Amino acid sequence: MKISEIVALGLWPESKKTTTQKGISELEDLGYNLFYIGKNADLYTCPGDDAKVLLVRSDRCSVFDIPLNLEIEGKGVSQTTISNNGAAFAKESGIRTAILSENVDSSLSIAPRCQIMELCKPLESEIDGEVVQFEFIFRNYLTGSLFEACKTGNDPYGLDLSSDLAQWHKFETPIFTPTTKGIKDEPLNSATVREVFPEIISSMEKLFKDFTKFAEDNGIVVVDTKFEIFINSKGEWVLGDEVLTPESSRFIAKEDFDAANYISMDKQILRDFGKANDWKEKSKALNAGEKLDVDVPDSIKNGILDGYNTILKRLGK
């Protein structure tokens, strides 16, 4: 299917920039055609008439939505395996995901980085008079921006949380803190969103609880997670490609958590390094399409890979 046909189906926004560059030859030779280059992954149309795309994860890195001139060898392969594991956990719970069971020829060298996905469009609805897209976030612990909001008596989600709760307070049951999806993630009233999507929120809440217990039983604390919901060509809701992964969730090894070492096993150490080196300010000088040149020590790169390997070892199916 051509990208023009995908756009005509309403499954790819006309405003989103595509590329005419050729992709990896072993994929192009089989009829997969590159049409989008992302910060960390690329998308190919698939041969045939089905509304599917091939996602190929690279070793490229980005933080704070800044594309970096940085690759960590093997990162894309680990991320793909973790993503497949998360999708498998969701499917065992009876939840559809955009990740399909089929895949490219396993003999291809690029195969460990590939996922064939159902083409979908983001879930949308009108909230307070405005049509928005969503990020459905569930939290087991009070930390980050929500902790800062609580300290000042702010109640962005309508949860009526006490202002004297300590950071890393564990909630008896996960709390739901939805936001809009976009340049700014604006908080939404939790009860209002539940009323709009009762079945979806109930299903996501159960999935999050079940996965939290599975992870804890295997030595990993799940701090929080973000679910992105899409609508497929049949009008069914499905989970996106980042399901219970370090890209969508904060995972901390239980031994670290118990020692009050709250660095999550994802890009947190890279983000902290970027903050210390003022990457956000430096990125303001970038022109469109440029990447920020960064010098990252091997200890940071290896720390990220070690985190992925721990997740794979403890949570792999």
Side-chain angles (χ1 to χ4, degrees):
M1 183 173 282
K2 296 178 181 178
I3 182 60
S4 58
E5 296 174 296
I6 291 171
V7 171
L9 288 172
L11 298 174
W12 185 266
E14 290 186 59
S15 59
K16 199 163 186 177
K17 189 176 180 180
T18 57
T19 183
T20 57
Q21 290 184 34
K22 283 290 184 184
I24 297 166
S25 58
E26 67 176 351
L27 292 174
E28 295 273 353
D29 291 345
L30 292 172
Y32 299 97
N33 299 128
L34 177 68
F35 73 91
Y36 180 74
I37 299 174
K39 290 187 292 292
N40 303 302
D42 302 326
L43 296 177
Y44 291 71
T45 58
C46 294
D49 297 327
D50 293 333
K52 296 183 292 192
V53 293
L54 175 66
L55 183 147
V56 182
R57 294 175 192 270
S58 72
D59 290 334
R60 300 190 297 268
C61 296
S62 66
V63 291
F64 314 125
D65 214 26
I66 303 168
L68 306 175
N69 188 18
L70 170 68
E71 293 191 3
I72 300 177
E73 185 177 355
K75 178 180 80 79
V77 173
S78 294
Q79 287 178 321
T80 303
T81 306
I82 293 171
S83 175
N84 285 333
N85 287 342
F89 191 94
K91 288 174 182 175
E92 287 173 6
S93 300
I95 294 173
R96 293 180 296 270
T97 77
I99 300 170
L100 301 174
S101 56
E102 61 186 288
N103 213 324
V104 300
D105 184 342
S106 61
S107 67
L108 298 177
S109 62
I110 198 68
R113 298 176 178 273
C114 293
Q115 292 172 306
I116 293 180
M117 303 183 63
E118 188 175 19
L119 255 178
C120 307
K121 57 186 178 182
L123 177 71
E124 293 182 335
S125 184
E126 185 176 303
I127 300 288
D128 296 331
E130 183 179 357
V131 175
V132 297
Q133 298 174 3
F134 302 89
E135 292 184 345
F136 295 151
I137 300 166
F138 291 88
R139 303 171 186 257
N140 283 317
Y141 295 89
L142 178 63
T143 186
S145 60
L146 183 57
F147 172 65
E148 295 301 323
C150 280
K151 278 200 309 184
T152 60
N154 192 4
D155 189 16
Y157 305 101
L159 295 170
D160 196 26
L161 298 175
S162 173
S163 61
D164 61 1
L165 291 178
Q167 189 167 22
W168 295 105
H169 167 81
K170 185 175 183 180
F171 299 109
E172 288 186 20
T173 189
I175 61 169
F176 175 50
T177 58
T179 69
T180 61
K181 180 183 177 184
I183 296 174
K184 289 186 176 180
D185 300 332
E186 300 288 348
L188 295 169
N189 183 275
S190 180
T192 299
V193 178
R194 278 185 183 273
E195 289 174 4
V196 177
F197 304 111
E199 181 209 347
I200 294 176
I201 304 309
S202 176
S203 297
M204 294 302 95
E205 191 167 44
K206 184 178 185 307
L207 177 62
F208 182 62
K209 288 179 179 178
D210 290 348
F211 186 77
T212 292
K213 183 175 188 313
F214 166 73
E216 187 171 354
D217 289 346
N218 287 278
I220 289 181
V221 172
V222 181
V223 178
D224 51 36
T225 202
K226 171 184 70 179
F227 294 119
E228 292 189 45
I229 306 297
F230 295 83
I231 303 298
N232 65 15
S233 58
K234 301 174 185 175
E236 301 166 326
W237 66 267
V238 300
L239 271 173
D241 63 296
E242 290 298 343
V243 182
L244 306 168
T245 75
E247 296 297 298
S248 64
S249 315
R250 278 187 285 182
F251 298 152
I252 300 176
K254 190 173 186 308
E255 62 271 23
D256 289 337
F257 190 90
D258 290 344
N261 178 13
Y262 300 123
I263 300 297
S264 54
M265 294 187 295
D266 56 4
K267 295 185 294 187
Q268 187 62 49
I269 54 175
L270 188 60
R271 292 188 190 100
D272 291 347
F273 184 79
K275 284 181 183 177
N277 287 274
D278 212 17
W279 286 356
K280 280 188 179 180
E281 188 61 33
K282 292 175 181 176
S283 70
K284 292 178 182 178
L286 293 177
N287 295 316
E290 289 184 335
K291 297 180 179 180
L292 184 67
D293 280 319
V294 296
D295 186 15
V296 176
D298 286 342
S299 59
I300 299 288
K301 299 177 186 177
N302 292 335
I304 292 170
L305 292 176
D306 287 345
Y308 289 143
N309 288 334
T310 298
I311 293 167
L312 285 168
K313 187 181 299 183
R314 297 186 184 184
L315 303 185
K317 291 286 186 177

